Amino acid sequence: CSVDVESEVLYNAIDTDRFTPAEVTPDREPVILMAGSHNDPYRLELGIQTFGKLKEMSDIPFRMLIAGKILPSIEKRVRMQINDRGLAEDIELLGPYSQVAAPDVFRMGDILLHTKYCDVCPSMLLEGMACGLPIVFSDTGGTPELVGKDAGLGVKTQWSYDEVILPSSESLAECLLSVYDRLSMYRRNARNRVVAHFDQKKWLSHHSQLFGKLLEC
């Protein structure tokens, strides 16, 4: 049998008082950031391919920072790919970072590139958005629900439960350029979206109300 009950989706939430944009915009080259745990080889391989396309398509002196844990076997392949593409001077691997250091890591970037296919509800993206980073991503899984229509751009990608289907590096690079062309707007939208929808104070308040109702039963 089925029963109609009241329900609500509560997404992951973050501390928007700790994850904040830099107080002063740094005077440096624009930085594409990849962050998180890089356990799937395709994520970094596609990211590096995308960055290579970006450099081909634009004269803007973009740099890429890759932050987070990389398995040794994957790191070896990644470094070979970077060298083979002649990008060693433009891409830096920062290594693992702690949760305490996470806000400062996000403040090192301008756009967050997320290539994971069908990611579920990545809090890392919310942390980046709260620090003013718009997202360029594979438009699959739960990521589009987090980013929305104004805090970044996604590349439409076929859905599959059986295989990983990746967007083209050229499409992702085009999205990076489009976001960079209106970076101030996207930065503002990213921060505002997280504060409005994913702040932990609202998340805690919702849970308090929910458990309050349960205790009344």
Side-chain angles (χ1 to χ4, degrees):
C1 65
S2 62
V3 179
D4 292 331
V5 296
E6 183 180 353
S7 64
E8 181 181 3
V9 175
L10 293 180
Y11 295 93
N12 292 350
I14 64 163
D15 184 353
T16 59
D17 293 331
R18 192 166 75 87
F19 287 92
T20 59
E23 293 183 3
V24 179
T25 303
D27 182 16
R28 53 159 171 73
E29 300 91 345
V31 173
I32 308 302
L33 177 68
M34 297 189 72
S37 296
H38 308 287
N39 297 323
D40 300 306
Y42 75 84
R43 290 180 60 182
L44 292 181
E45 291 173 358
L46 178 56
I48 293 166
Q49 292 170 12
T50 298
F51 184 73
K53 284 289 185 183
L54 181 66
K55 299 291 282 187
E56 292 174 7
M57 295 165 62
S58 173
D59 293 329
I60 299 170
F62 287 103
R63 294 180 61 243
M64 171 175 272
L65 296 178
I66 298 174
K69 183 179 180 180
I70 307 175
L71 297 176
S73 58
I74 297 177
E75 182 175 346
K76 182 178 179 180
R77 291 168 56 178
V78 165
R79 290 191 182 278
M80 288 180 60
Q81 184 181 6
I82 291 172
N83 290 330
D84 290 345
R85 291 179 173 271
L87 297 172
E89 294 185 0
D90 300 309
I91 299 178
E92 182 180 356
L93 275 60
L94 300 179
Y97 60 91
S98 66
Q99 186 66 9
V100 172
D104 288 331
V105 170
F106 290 117
R107 292 177 191 128
M108 297 172 70
D110 294 296
I111 303 172
L112 188 59
L113 176 62
H114 189 59
T115 55
K116 185 172 177 62
Y117 182 68
C118 282
D119 208 349
V120 183
C121 188
S123 296
M124 182 267 294
L125 298 188
L126 300 178
E127 294 169 352
M129 290 164 61
C131 292
L133 271 68
I135 315 297
V136 169
F137 58 97
S138 165
D139 194 356
T140 55
T143 299
E145 297 178 55
L146 301 185
V147 179
K149 298 182 181 299
D150 302 314
L153 288 176
V155 176
K156 288 292 183 183
T157 309
Q158 183 179 346
W159 281 61
S160 173
Y161 292 103
D162 302 315
E163 60 180 324
V164 173
I165 302 174
L166 300 178
S168 71
S169 57
E170 184 173 0
S171 296
L172 288 169
E174 289 173 351
C175 285
L176 287 171
L177 284 174
S178 295
V179 169
Y180 184 73
D181 284 343
R182 295 180 289 173
L183 186 58
S184 295
M185 179 197 74
Y186 276 110
R187 277 185 175 277
R188 183 172 59 252
N189 291 348
R191 169 68 183 177
N192 290 344
R193 179 169 176 78
V194 175
V195 171
H197 299 288
F198 305 106
D199 183 270
Q200 69 175 10
K201 291 186 288 292
K202 295 182 179 179
W203 188 89
L204 291 169
S205 175
H206 275 66
H207 277 75
S208 177
Q209 294 172 19
L210 171 63
F211 286 111
K213 289 180 180 180
L214 291 174
L215 290 172
E216 291 173 0
C217 295

